[in-house]
């Protein structure tokens, strides 16, 4: 957020913050995890020296969209290869090790995770480009009370959808605002100008560099502290702003800020299913070097506010996010994949755990508007609205089956773009998650 007199956008941001706090403060009980404290920290009294863990997510997806003039482009093709409308896939297959320096020093934690699945991390979309990737590698120093220090490659503090553990994510796909505005792509030289009419479908949305996956290489100071039944958590991080890539392509650093306040209804509960009500806000800013023109830089800002609530048999969460600069355009744009425009969006979702069964019913509405206020030209305003209905069957605490069906209604004020977006239809996805 810029330091200037309040404008309409800032007023809406404050209004959303107040609304979230007011709506959920009256709720009697909740369930929301403190993801910052669950990733990269280990209990000093009983942590293992090396704990191997991971999960696998095989899936199937089918897109029911219609083509325009015989052409099918994203988002009418399933990823990551973007060469068909249906596919079986191993979306994620991650294995890692975490632990402490025990018995030498339990205040030193480490966290390593590798990705073997077929997704935007390991396969940008070019044929034959698949390769496993190191997604996390960090050390946390817990010597200063109230100021833990985490160094390396890890998830940056930010949106709940990106920060939470993906194995606990109740849906298969991200919302449009998270997928387009937050899940950052990093083109290399020559990939910023991709004309759909000159390349095959499979390369329309492809990059040789891995997607950011809500991660960065940097240093973070963070911790959580209790005040009565309230747990307050903060994080301040400086990162390269180059995603999971080990090298940095400019001298500018990204700034990440995070705050959450959670009312704990059971302070003895631990882990991702702790009963609590959490309200949070986050902010990030940095600069990106143009991959096509190295002399040009563009600012990238993102910020948001949200709330998460669950008391079985119900779960509710909501988040609103704003972005400026480096707005991803997708394959519909015939000139550039990024621009300096504005975008905003959010979601409201909920779940119902059917009593005395293993079934969980989920419903989510998300909306995203990119290139806000741009009514002419090759990068016009576009809207993405999606309803997703889902069912989770929990075989046990670590294994579940998920079925999602999304109804998508996309549009643009620019006819050539709208010709493709108006025929975006339903998307079916099935997935098994097995944690070990």
């Amino acid at each position: 957020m810029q330091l200037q007199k309040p404008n309409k956008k800032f007023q809406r941001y404050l209004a959303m913050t107040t609304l979230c706090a007011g709506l959920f403060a009256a709720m009697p009980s909740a369930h929301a995890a403190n993801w910052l404290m669950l990733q990269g920290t280990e209990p000093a009294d009983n942590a293992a020296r090396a704990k191997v863990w991971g999960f696998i997510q095989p899936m199937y997806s089918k897109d029911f969209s219609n083509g325009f003039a015989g052409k099918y482009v994203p988002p009418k093709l399933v990823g990551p290869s973007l060469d068909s409308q249906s596919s079986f896939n191993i979306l994620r297959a991650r294995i890692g090790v975490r632990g402490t320096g025990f018995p030498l020093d339990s205040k030193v934690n480490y966290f390593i995770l590798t990705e073997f699945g077929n997704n935007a991390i390991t396969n940008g979309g070019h044929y034959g480009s698949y390769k496993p990737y190191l997604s996390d590698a960090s050390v946390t120093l817990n010597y200063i009370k109230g100021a833990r220090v985490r160094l390396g490659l890890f998830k940056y503090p930010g949106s709940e959808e990106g920060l939470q553990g993906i194995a606990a994510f109740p849906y298969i796909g991200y919302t449009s605002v998270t997928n387009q505005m937050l899940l950052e792509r990093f083109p290399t030289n020559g990939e910023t100008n991709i004309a759909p009419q000159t390349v095959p479908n499979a390369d329309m949305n492809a990059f040789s560099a891995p997607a950011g996956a809500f991660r960065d290489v940097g240093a973070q100071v963070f911790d959580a502290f209790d005040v009565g039944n309230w747990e307050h958590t903060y994080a301040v991080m400086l990162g390269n702003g180059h995603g999971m890539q080990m090298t940095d392509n400019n001298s500018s650093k990204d700034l990440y800020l995070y705050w959450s306040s959670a009312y704990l209804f059971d302070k003895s509960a631990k882990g991702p299913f702790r009963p609590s009500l959490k309200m949070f806000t986050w902010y990030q800013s940095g600069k990106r070097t143009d991959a096509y023109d190295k002399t040009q830089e563009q600012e990238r800002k993102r910020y948001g506010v949200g709330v998460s609530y669950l008391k079985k048999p119900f779960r509710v969460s909501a988040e609103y996010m704003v972005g400026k600069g480096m707005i991803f355009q997708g394959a519909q744009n015939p000139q550039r994949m990024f621009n300096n425009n504005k975008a905003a969006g959010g979601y409201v979702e909920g779940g119902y755990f059917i009593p005395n069964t293993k079934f969980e019913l989920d419903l989510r509405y998300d909306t995203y508007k990119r290139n806000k206020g741009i009514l002419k030209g090759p990068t016009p305003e576009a809207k993405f609205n999606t309803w997703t209905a889902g069912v989770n069957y929990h075989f046990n605490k670590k294994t579940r089956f998920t079925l999602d069906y999304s109804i998508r209604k996309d549009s643009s004020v620019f006819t050539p773009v709208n010709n493709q977006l108006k025929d975006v239809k339903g998307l079916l996805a099935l997935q098994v998650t097995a944690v070990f």
Side-chain angles (χ1 to χ4, degrees):
M1 289 176 288
Q2 296 180 347
L3 298 178
Q4 56 185 16
K5 65 179 182 180
N7 52 29
K8 291 183 178 180
K9 180 175 68 175
F10 183 66
Q11 291 172 354
R12 288 195 297 269
Y13 178 74
L14 289 179
M16 180 63 70
T17 306
T18 304
L19 178 63
C20 289
L23 284 175
F24 289 89
M27 293 185 174
S29 177
H31 169 104
N34 189 335
W35 298 110
L36 274 175
M37 301 304 295
L38 287 175
Q39 302 175 51
T41 62
E42 302 290 338
D45 53 346
N46 61 358
R49 183 182 301 183
K51 178 181 179 181
V52 178
W53 65 285
F55 59 94
I56 302 172
Q57 290 182 319
M59 68 167 298
Y60 171 80
S61 55
K62 168 66 177 178
D63 195 308
F64 295 93
S65 301
N66 300 320
F68 176 75
K71 293 183 178 180
Y72 289 83
V73 301
K76 300 176 182 179
L77 301 168
V78 298
S81 296
L82 302 174
D83 58 357
S84 70
Q85 287 194 292
S86 65
S87 178
F88 288 97
N89 189 26
I90 305 298
L91 182 60
R92 298 179 184 90
R94 297 181 182 177
I95 183 170
V97 59
R98 59 190 298 175
T100 69
F102 179 85
L104 295 177
D105 191 344
S106 61
K107 293 184 178 180
V108 178
N109 297 178
Y110 69 90
F111 185 100
I112 299 173
L113 187 63
T114 54
E115 174 64 274
F116 291 89
N118 185 36
N119 51 53
I121 296 176
T122 59
N123 189 341
H126 295 293
Y127 286 112
S129 66
Y130 167 85
K131 63 178 180 180
Y133 221 87
L134 179 68
S135 64
D136 298 78
S138 68
V139 174
T140 303
L141 307 176
N142 302 286
Y143 289 98
I144 304 175
K145 185 177 181 180
R148 304 171 189 259
V149 180
R150 192 176 186 187
L151 308 166
L153 168 63
F154 52 91
K155 280 191 174 183
Y156 54 69
S159 166
E160 184 82 352
E161 232 183 331
L163 185 58
Q164 69 179 288
I166 194 64
F169 188 48
Y171 302 92
I172 298 174
Y174 292 121
T175 60
S176 293
V177 60
T178 296
N179 184 51
Q180 294 194 46
M181 195 178 77
L182 300 184
L183 183 56
E184 193 170 4
R185 282 79 169 174
F186 295 92
T188 55
N189 190 22
E191 288 178 328
T192 46
N193 284 1
I194 298 181
Q197 68 272 19
T198 62
V199 295
N201 283 344
D203 286 339
M204 282 185 175
N205 216 9
F207 300 99
S208 57
F214 316 109
R215 288 164 168 81
D216 201 358
V217 178
Q220 173 181 273
V221 179
F222 71 107
D223 212 340
F225 54 95
D226 294 341
V227 179
N229 276 42
W230 285 92
E231 180 189 65
H232 304 289
T233 306
Y234 80 94
V236 178
M237 177 181 174
L238 285 178
N240 287 337
H242 210 210
M244 294 168 51
Q245 300 170 78
M246 296 301 180
T247 58
D248 193 5
N249 67 344
N250 60 31
S251 59
S252 176
K253 297 292 177 282
D254 275 29
L255 171 66
Y256 304 88
L257 304 175
Y258 179 91
W259 179 274
S260 70
S261 293
Y263 188 83
L264 309 181
F265 294 92
D266 182 0
K267 296 186 69 174
S268 64
K270 305 294 182 181
F273 302 106
R274 181 184 60 174
S276 65
L277 165 66
K278 183 174 71 173
M279 294 164 285
F280 57 91
T281 186
W282 54 272
Y283 170 83
Q284 56 188 242
S285 67
K287 292 183 178 181
R288 299 293 181 267
T289 298
D290 193 309
Y292 194 75
D293 183 356
K294 300 294 185 181
T295 66
Q296 300 295 319
E297 285 191 340
Q298 184 179 126
E299 288 194 6
R300 180 184 185 274
K301 292 186 178 181
R302 304 289 188 269
Y303 57 90
V305 59
V307 63
S308 181
Y309 163 87
L310 183 149
K311 179 182 177 4
K312 285 189 174 180
F314 298 103
R315 184 195 73 248
V316 179
S317 65
E319 191 168 2
Y320 178 72
M321 295 164 269
V322 176
K324 183 181 186 302
M326 294 300 294
I327 302 301
F328 181 58
Q329 301 302 300
Q332 292 78 30
N333 174 29
Q335 294 189 8
R336 295 187 66 97
M337 281 193 166
F338 301 92
N339 63 32
N340 198 34
N341 293 336
K342 299 178 181 179
Y347 63 87
V348 177
E349 68 86 26
Y352 176 68
F353 296 84
I354 300 177
N356 302 317
T357 75
K358 297 182 178 182
F359 286 97
E360 171 192 348
L361 305 180
D362 302 300
L363 183 64
R364 180 180 70 189
Y365 172 75
D366 66 89
T367 181
Y368 176 57
K369 182 185 290 186
R370 73 183 186 203
N371 307 322
K372 293 183 63 177
I374 307 299
L375 304 180
K376 297 181 180 180
T379 57
E381 183 176 280
K383 300 177 182 179
F384 304 83
N385 298 302
T386 305
W387 283 96
T388 299
V391 178
N392 276 283
Y393 181 82
H394 299 267
F395 296 98
N396 52 55
K397 292 183 178 180
K398 292 189 175 183
T399 307
R400 74 178 191 271
F401 169 78
T402 306
L403 185 154
D404 286 349
Y405 187 81
S406 298
I407 300 174
R408 301 172 293 175
K409 186 176 181 180
D410 305 340
S411 63
S412 173
V413 297
F414 190 46
T415 300
V417 176
N418 193 61
N419 285 338
Q420 284 289 356
L421 292 181
K422 68 180 181 181
D423 290 324
V424 173
K425 303 297 181 182
L427 177 65
L428 173 69
L430 301 89
Q431 179 176 271
V432 171
T433 300
V435 181
F436 59 88

